[in-house]
Amino acid sequence: MSTASPSPSTDRTLETDPLHLVDVDHVRFYVGNAKQAAFFYAHTFGFEVTQIADLTSGSRDTARYLLTQGNIRFILETPLSPDHPINDELTKYGDGVKDVAFNVMDAEKAYERAVSNGGESAYEPRTTSDGSGSVTMAGVKAYGRAVHTFVSRTGDYALPDVKKGGRFSPEFHPMDFALNDYNRQNPCGLKYVDHCVGNVEEGKMNHWVEWYENVLEFSMFKHFDDADISTEHSALMSKVMASGNHLIKMPINEPADGLKKSQILEYLEWHSMTPGIQHLALRTDDELASVAELRRRGVDFLSLPDTYYEAVWDRVNTTLKAHGHEPVREDHERIKDLGILVDADDEGYLLQLFTKPLQDRPTLFFEIISRRGSQSFGKGNFKALFEALELEQERRGNL
Ligand code: FE2
């Protein structure tokens, strides 16, 4: 019996469902100094810095840098004048993610649908265009300071062209950047945004779960199990929302009472008690090669006690065997040397590792993840992670 034939309903969905997400168009950060932040992400994470919109290209309000790697696009944006509203956010939250933008067929229709679903407008549709094509963006407010922009593109600005190095929008110009050649020769192997986690206030998780259901028409990710994270050691509650086609998963955390201050509460306290993006998980096909290269470049990863590896192989390989899967195929000693975390479930296993905060405030961090069948988020590592995180919080005087 064949299940491989193309389903006509897929095309119909694309054409008729305004909230059908085609891809993550980009992730936009607000930073205090985009020129320097671009250098940091290029040097430590191997991003190419390929396009710019700044004074030299006629952008007088903000400077924006486009960073690319695989199918990941970051925009780093910094305000150029003292009265620009981004300044206020930088004061309150420091550097961090403002916007997770989705590519759709028609940004205006997606926006109208989200607003009619009860979403609050962040900004109305605006189109920039020139003889080569156009880019339309419109945004809705998500939790706290976070926004989801809908992006639709025509002509030379269509996403497949942007992926091949074409111009991001009429406002962006190509730029030379000293590290691009080096980064092409020494790849970090990051492919796309696997998931994007938000922290919200205590008691607000279910509110935002419903928001993703109602406004963006997401659904609860089927692999999530509520009971799993509610161990006595855990200090967070989390639910995972996914877009209809599972293109993007958006786990939502809220602080939970624990013996010590939760990492979610620490984030909120250093983020003006305002919800926001806690981490972006960047997907690689080769966890060991990626982490080795990132470590070589100086990425600061969370380190776990050696005792983690005394228990992990038994836990993971027993789970895999119970569900008829092969054991973890990567070299176990190298995984330990690189400090990588492993978790397994009924579908397979995953390898993951978390950076320390990417700025001075203990807020945003990255996760480097690869999946061998498992579609979950590493819940088996939570206890070990909390212990490691508490050690870090203690060092920051935040426990
Ligand atoms: Fe994650």
Side-chain angles (χ1 to χ4, degrees), residues 44-47 68-72 183-192 282-294 297 368-370:
T44 53
F45 290 94
F47 283 87
T68 61
Q69 181 170 177
N71 190 30
I72 307 167
N183 284 343
R184 277 191 283 268
Q185 285 155 20
N186 300 273
C188 293
L190 305 180
K191 292 271 161 70
Y192 57 91
L282 306 176
R283 179 84 163 258
T284 171
D285 294 336
D286 188 340
E287 184 80 9
L288 278 64
S290 288
V291 169
E293 177 62 15
L294 295 168
R297 287 162 173 264
I368 309 299
I369 185 167
S370 68

Side-chain angles (χ1 to χ4, degrees), residues 206-236:
N206 285 328
H207 168 83
W208 289 105
V209 163
E210 284 167 25
W211 186 90
Y212 276 94
E213 279 172 351
N214 296 335
V215 176
L216 295 190
E217 301 176 11
F218 280 30
S219 52
M220 184 87 74
F221 190 51
K222 63 179 169 140
H223 298 279
F224 175 75
D225 183 351
D226 201 15
D228 290 322
I229 357 185
S230 305
T231 68
E232 99 275 11
H233 214 277
S234 96
L236 76 86

Side-chain angles (χ1 to χ4, degrees), residues 195 197 279 281 354 367:
H195 59 275
V197 180
H279 75 267
F354 301 90
E367 170 182 352

Side-chain angles (χ1 to χ4, degrees), residues 226-282:
D226 201 15
D228 290 322
I229 357 185
S230 305
T231 68
E232 99 275 11
H233 214 277
S234 96
L236 76 86
M237 292 274 288
S238 186
K239 286 186 179 175
V240 182
M241 302 306 293
S243 62
N245 53 1
H246 288 181
L247 168 78
I248 183 80
K249 282 134 206 138
M250 307 274 310
I252 301 166
N253 297 332
E254 70 173 32
D257 287 334
L259 291 173
K260 301 186 176 155
K261 183 186 289 183
S262 90
Q263 43 157 328
I264 314 303
L265 188 54
E266 187 197 31
Y267 173 102
L268 290 170
E269 286 181 351
W270 288 94
H271 203 255
S272 295
M273 290 314 286
T274 305
I277 306 293
Q278 179 210 38
H279 75 267
L280 296 177
L282 306 176

Side-chain angles (χ1 to χ4, degrees), residues 146-196:
V147 162
H148 288 305
T149 284
F150 303 110
V151 188
S152 55
R153 301 166 165 281
T154 68
D156 292 352
Y157 302 111
L159 196 57
D161 294 309
V162 174
K163 286 182 187 178
K164 282 183 254 163
R167 274 171 63 203
F168 183 77
S169 82
E171 299 154 294
F172 278 76
H173 289 206
M175 74 176 283
D176 291 325
F177 189 75
L179 288 174
N180 287 352
D181 276 345
Y182 181 85
N183 284 343
R184 277 191 283 268
Q185 285 155 20
N186 300 273
C188 293
L190 305 180
K191 292 271 161 70
Y192 57 91
V193 179
D194 182 275
H195 59 275
C196 172

Side-chain angles (χ1 to χ4, degrees), residues 43 53 65 80 135 137 142 176 184 240 250 285 312:
H43 177 80
Y65 290 69
L80 295 176
V135 179
M137 298 195 193
D176 291 325
R184 277 191 283 268
V240 182
M250 307 274 310
D285 294 336
V312 73

